[in-house]
Amino acid sequence: MWRGAVLALAAGGTAALASSPGQPLDCSDWVVLDPQFRCVAVNSDCHDPNLPGTRPSCTFTSEARVLDNEGNMLRVDMVLLPELCGSGRLNRTRLWISDGHSERLLAYIDDRCADSVSWQVDALIVDANHVQSGERAIAFDRTKGRLLLLAHSVCRGSCSAYDTVSRLLAFEGFATLFEIMQTYTPSPPAFGFTVPYMPEGLERADSFDTYYGSLTKPLDLSRAQPLQCAYGAGSNVGDRLTFPDTAPDPAPGEAVYFLTAVTFGTERRIGRSATGGRLAGRDPSALPRCPVPSVEP
């Protein structure tokens, strides 16, 4: 599904840096082992869902283990590290993914020794109030394809550096329910997406076509240009499809949109658009053929 526009504007950036010792742990402190996934803070000021005053955006129905849209099992556990801080040992919180045959580590975060003399530890607890068989509770957002964790950053030991900071974290990059969510990697410039479960509501996809065009209102799909045609045949739910960005850079002050059409049998869909606040499926016949046939002089 086309979700607004992916703007092809020049931008610079650096890798996320970890938080400072003596400060609450956050997404920048997680070590994510698969580049397909990333940690983002959905809400940076949550309260425990079992206590009064909980904000609705920070609550969810939690389970000890959850399944993603591909049927993979996701779980979180905690183990002791050999390192000491003062007289206490540090913990490592781990996020695992399993397809039923093998399990691999997706991400982890370690407690941090902020001051070994005074035994000050920056620690993370993932939803400590829902402990079952030593595993922490998590939840999966099937529509957006993301894993939700309610994480509490606490100061342990002989310290009072900060009060408990609770954040609702999300690990993004899992297959979504129906939507084709386009992503962009600046170096090397490439586009891609994770094949969703039932793309655009179809049983599966025979192929995908990706277009780009000038960002106008309304969009003139008849002037869209093919970027990548008839790819992804035989792909499965959760596969990561990527292709190079060969679209020309937009002029200063202009922007470019990208959208992906999905074909299954005789059906072709290109997401939805809103008119007067009402969603409706886009008309795929408005798009040029992919690839556009050459015009004889």
Side-chain angles (χ1 to χ4, degrees):
M1 175 183 174
W2 176 79
R3 297 174 61 86
V6 178
L7 303 183
L9 301 176
T14 58
L17 300 176
S19 61
S20 301
Q23 299 296 318
L25 299 173
D26 56 30
C27 269
S28 66
D29 299 297
W30 280 87
V31 178
V32 182
L33 303 177
D34 189 327
Q36 173 181 327
F37 302 97
R38 64 171 186 153
C39 176
V40 298
V42 179
N43 194 303
S44 59
D45 183 21
C46 297
H47 300 289
D48 192 309
N50 292 312
L51 297 177
T54 298
R55 299 171 62 172
S57 60
C58 298
T59 62
F60 52 84
T61 301
S62 51
E63 308 167 56
R65 303 183 185 190
V66 298
L67 298 178
D68 66 9
N69 286 326
E70 302 172 71
N72 296 316
M73 186 180 71
L74 303 165
R75 69 180 183 89
V76 175
D77 67 8
M78 182 182 292
V79 295
L80 283 172
L81 295 173
E83 291 85 355
L84 292 174
C85 184
S87 59
R89 291 174 65 181
L90 303 177
N91 292 313
R92 169 172 291 181
T93 300
R94 305 180 299 184
L95 171 59
W96 298 88
I97 182 169
S98 169
D99 61 4
H101 301 285
S102 61
E103 187 175 49
R104 64 185 175 95
L105 185 62
L106 187 65
Y108 67 88
I109 185 171
D110 292 341
D111 290 353
R112 179 174 56 209
C113 185
D115 189 333
S116 60
V117 176
S118 63
W119 184 33
Q120 179 179 333
V121 177
D122 302 321
L124 189 82
I125 303 172
V126 176
D127 206 2
N129 295 293
H130 295 83
V131 179
Q132 182 175 340
S133 301
E135 295 171 346
R136 310 298 179 180
I138 56 181
F140 191 78
D141 182 344
R142 297 191 177 279
T143 302
K144 296 182 179 180
R146 59 183 187 172
L147 180 71
L148 298 175
L149 302 177
L150 184 56
H152 308 285
S153 292
V154 299
C155 185
R156 281 181 171 163
S158 304
C159 67
S160 58
Y162 51 85
D163 295 330
T164 298
V165 176
S166 300
R167 294 184 174 98
L168 185 60
L169 307 180
F171 282 85
E172 300 178 338
F174 297 91
T176 59
L177 191 59
F178 302 119
E179 301 169 332
I180 297 172
M181 302 179 69
Q182 213 82 60
T183 58
Y184 180 71
T185 303
S187 180
F191 279 93
F193 61 89
T194 301
V195 177
Y197 171 74
M198 297 182 66
E200 302 299 346
L202 296 175
E203 181 180 339
R204 65 177 187 274
D206 290 334
S207 64
F208 299 93
D209 302 306
T210 297
Y211 295 80
Y212 72 93
S214 178
L215 185 60
T216 59
K217 190 175 181 180
L219 296 181
D220 185 358
L221 297 184
S222 67
R223 300 177 66 86
Q225 297 295 314
L227 184 65
Q228 188 81 0
C229 297
Y231 65 96
S235 59
N236 298 310
V237 174
D239 286 351
R240 182 71 181 170
L241 303 182
T242 59
F243 47 91
D245 173 23
T246 57
D249 292 336
E254 296 183 355
V256 173
Y257 71 84
F258 296 84
L259 62 84
T260 295
V262 57
T263 299
F264 173 61
T266 59
E267 291 278 344
R268 193 170 192 237
R269 297 180 183 176
I270 54 171
R272 299 170 293 172
S273 62
T275 303
R278 300 185 63 179
L279 288 174
R282 295 182 184 276
D283 182 5
S285 65
L287 287 171
R289 289 174 56 189
C290 189
V292 176
S294 59
V295 178
E296 296 294 333

